[in-house]
Amino acid sequence: PHPDDEVLGCGGTLALLRQKKCAVKVIFVTDGAGAGTLDPDAPAIRRKEAAESLAVVGIDDMEFLDEPDGSFRNSPHFENKVHTLLQQFNPDWLFLPSVLDYHRDHVAIGHAVLSCWQSWDGPGRAFVYEIWSPLPATRVVDISSVIDLKKQAISRYVLPLTHCDYLSANIGLAVYRGLYLSGKTGSNYAEAFVEAEKKAAFGGLLKILLNLRFYLESLLKR
């Protein structure tokens, strides 16, 4: 959704994939303006920081769709962009944000991209990552060997880090997920995902996740 979500949500996994010589393309959906709360030059600054961050994990293929930060709304135009990218890159694996996340852009973009992926004819698999809200994980990736790369990549996002200590929070989440790796010597950090399924049953799961989000929101408003 925004420059930094890729390394926060799955930066360690992306680093491991690049070490395996996998081709990786990162799509930034919004312009990174920070919903008007950041520096007026934020989009240009965050583009530069994104390139520097991804270089740390070995990625130089990226694209910016420049949708409005903080007020993303799905549209036929956006869906056409996503379908075109899926056809062009033909990914084996797709990583995207969770509809349970506590950022409205993450929820809307996750929902929109999942819908596009479900209607896409390609055989690729989709994995939902977590940032603001832990997931009922179905897949856990050991990122202990690349945790320093992930830290360095997050640290390249100087502008957002002046507003929030994403680094400490995200590494703390990786430590928590590392508990799933108990018994593996030297494994202390992990990233967690929910793997989506294309079959009709996942439509029901998506509805359940959305309903759970709405229920949690109602509790927070009390």
Side-chain angles (χ1 to χ4, degrees), residues 46-214:
R46 296 183 80 181
R47 277 186 182 232
K48 180 176 181 291
E49 291 179 346
E52 293 172 350
S53 174
L54 288 176
V56 171
V57 295
I59 298 171
D60 59 8
D61 188 359
M62 67 200 77
E63 190 163 335
F64 297 83
L65 303 186
D66 290 329
E67 295 286 333
D69 187 347
S71 57
F72 171 84
R73 295 291 183 274
N74 191 19
S75 67
H77 179 63
F78 176 74
E79 291 187 351
N80 286 337
K81 287 183 181 179
V82 175
H83 280 295
T84 298
L85 288 165
L86 288 171
Q87 289 296 121
Q88 290 176 343
F89 193 67
N90 193 30
D92 295 304
W93 288 4
L94 174 68
F95 296 94
L96 64 154
S98 167
V99 297
L100 283 181
D101 228 46
Y102 287 116
H103 192 302
R104 57 189 177 186
D105 282 347
H106 295 197
V107 176
I109 291 168
H111 195 186
V113 175
L114 269 178
S115 296
C116 292
W117 173 74
Q118 285 182 296
S119 63
W120 178 50
D121 293 332
R125 300 162 69 184
F127 300 88
V128 176
Y129 58 71
E130 58 188 3
I131 295 180
W132 290 102
S133 177
L135 287 167
T138 62
R139 295 285 185 271
V140 177
V141 177
D142 184 349
I143 63 167
S144 303
S145 65
V146 293
I147 191 62
D148 287 339
L149 287 178
K150 176 161 178 154
K151 291 177 181 178
Q152 292 171 34
I154 295 173
S155 297
R156 293 299 191 276
Y157 282 108
V158 177
L159 181 59
L161 284 171
T162 62
H163 294 262
C164 183
D165 188 1
Y166 296 100
L167 178 58
S168 296
N170 194 255
I171 299 306
L173 179 60
V175 172
Y176 164 64
R177 288 308 192 181
L179 295 173
Y180 285 57
L181 306 172
S182 59
K184 293 186 65 177
T185 303
S187 295
N188 303 306
Y189 302 93
E191 289 172 344
F193 306 89
V194 170
E195 182 171 2
E197 296 180 5
K198 277 198 173 183
K199 57 188 180 182
F202 183 71
L205 176 58
L206 179 58
K207 185 176 181 181
I208 290 171
L209 291 175
L210 286 169
N211 286 339
L212 177 57
R213 172 183 167 78
F214 297 145

